[in-house]
């Protein structure tokens, strides 16, 4: 561990650079080391971020990094990916992302790092499982951003529909961060009052329609500008804060199931207490039978798609 809060960021694309900017503005890290295969981009962002630290009075020292920087890091963050070129299904990028894990994670481990690995690399649930397999770390030390962004979108939608402040909305999305995500309507509420008191005619068709809107929002953003990165950067920052400051905060993380929600042996988005040790405890909230069936299908889809990652791991 470092004397302060040292973060190593691996992957300096849209998401990585947005996260780096959010991180230095937060003042959470005393040091940020950035690693990217595009050394010109890496150096340019370091210099740009250093300029920003002066103007924001940030304590963060930003530098180009190597895997040796992981040795005394307090947190390693993975934000590499395939430029979000796929507008149909994040799962199609499994083999590319899995190969990135195979290429990088052994170097992180060899440097002597044994802390929490936080990742936003898509498909995040499958890739969290790949990172756990390749690293050999305890399952709770691998934390994906899961359905944190999906949950934010769900809360934003409900706030607009109910004409209420989003901070008063408590609603969650579980399962895959992707096409089989499950919006949990059964316990969605406004400070404890069921959401049905504020939105009329919530039937199954309406639930499905809203679920599609939540899932499709990412694709609309990507189509318009090539990537989603501001929202997920702030999700990463929330996880970073929870880990570095040991906040014990409940976040919708990609966590490893050991029988919770009647599923096991995979990572997927569920409410999780996040602290200095990573995914410290999964919380089981009540969901109805329809939501359970949808969640089971989501888990099955993730298990099926993990087989594609195994082809890369085992080759």
């Amino acid at each position: 561990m470092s004397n302060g809060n040292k973060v190593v960021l691996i992957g300096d694309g849209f998401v990585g650079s947005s996260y780096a900017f959010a991180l230095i503005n937060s003042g959470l890290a005393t040091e940020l080391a950035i690693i990217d295969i595009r050394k010109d981009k890496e150096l340019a962002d370091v210099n740009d971020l250093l300029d920003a630290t002066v103007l924001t009075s940030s304590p963060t020292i930003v530098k180009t990094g190597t895997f040796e920087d992981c040795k005394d890091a307090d947190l390693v963050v993975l934000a590499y990916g395939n430029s979000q070129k796929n507008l149909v299904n994040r799962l199609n990028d499994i083999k590319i992302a899995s190969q990135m894990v195979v290429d990088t994670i052994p170097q992180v481990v060899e440097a002597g790092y044994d802390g929490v690995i936080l990742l936003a690399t898509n498909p995040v649930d499958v890739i969290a499982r790949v990172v756990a397999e390749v690293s050999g770390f305890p399952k709770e030390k691998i934390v994906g951003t899961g359905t944190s962004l999906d949950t934010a979108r769900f809360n934003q939608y409900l706030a607009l529909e109910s004409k209420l402040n989003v901070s008063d909305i408590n609603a969650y999305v579980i399962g895959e961060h992707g096409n089989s995500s499950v919006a949990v309507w059964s316990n969605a509420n406004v400070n404890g009052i069921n959401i049905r008191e504020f939105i009329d005619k919530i039937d199954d068709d309406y639930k499905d329609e809203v679920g599609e809107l939540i899932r499709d929002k990412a694709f609309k953003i990507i189509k318009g500008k090539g990537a989603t990165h501001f929202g997920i950067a702030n999700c990463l920052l929330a996880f970073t804060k929870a880990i570095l400051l040991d906040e014990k905060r409940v976040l919708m993380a990609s966590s490893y199931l050991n029988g919770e929600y009647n599923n096991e042996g995979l990572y997927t988005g569920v409410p999780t207490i996040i602290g200095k040790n990573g995914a410290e405890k999964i919380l089981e909230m009540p969901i109805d039978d329809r939501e359970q069936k949808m969640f089971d299908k989501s888990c099955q889809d993730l298990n099926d798609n993990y087989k594609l990652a195994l082809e890369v791991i085992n080759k």
Side-chain angles (χ1 to χ4, degrees), residues 91-107:
L91 294 171
N92 291 343
D93 292 333
I94 288 174
K95 289 187 176 181
I96 295 171
S98 296
Q99 188 61 55
M100 291 177 180
V101 172
V102 170
D103 291 342
T104 59
I105 293 303
Q107 297 183 74

Side-chain angles (χ1 to χ4, degrees), residues 2 49 101 239 287:
S2 67
L49 289 164
V101 172
F239 279 90
I287 60 176

Side-chain angles (χ1 to χ4, degrees), residues 222-237:
I222 294 168
K223 187 176 181 180
K225 67 172 189 172
T228 62
H229 49 104
F230 296 138
I232 193 61
N234 269 1
C235 290
L236 272 172
L237 186 66

Side-chain angles (χ1 to χ4, degrees), residues 10 14 18 22 30 34 42 76 86 93 109 117 121 123 154 159 184 197 216 218 227 233 244 275 279 282-283 301:
I10 307 175
F14 283 113
S18 295
T30 52
I34 299 176
E42 175 189 295
V76 169
N86 185 358
D93 292 333
V109 176
I117 297 177
T121 297
F154 188 26
V184 179
E197 298 294 322
D216 288 348
L244 293 180
I282 292 172
L283 302 180
D301 288 349

Side-chain angles (χ1 to χ4, degrees), residues 160-229:
L160 291 171
E161 282 290 287
S162 62
K163 298 180 175 59
L164 295 171
N165 192 304
V166 70
S167 64
D168 293 323
I169 307 293
N170 303 290
Y172 310 94
V173 176
I174 60 175
E176 177 201 357
H177 172 53
N179 290 353
S180 64
S181 64
V182 182
V184 179
W185 289 88
S186 57
N187 58 36
N189 67 84
V190 180
N191 288 342
I193 303 170
N194 193 283
I195 195 66
R196 291 180 182 277
E197 298 294 322
F198 303 90
I199 300 175
D200 296 330
K201 299 179 181 178
I202 300 179
D203 57 16
D204 288 349
D205 287 341
Y206 180 75
K207 293 176 184 177
D208 291 341
E209 179 185 344
V210 175
E212 285 299 315
L213 287 172
I214 295 168
R215 288 187 286 268
D216 288 348
K217 187 172 185 180
F219 302 127
K220 290 179 180 178
I221 294 171
I222 294 168
K223 187 176 181 180
K225 67 172 189 172
T228 62
H229 49 104

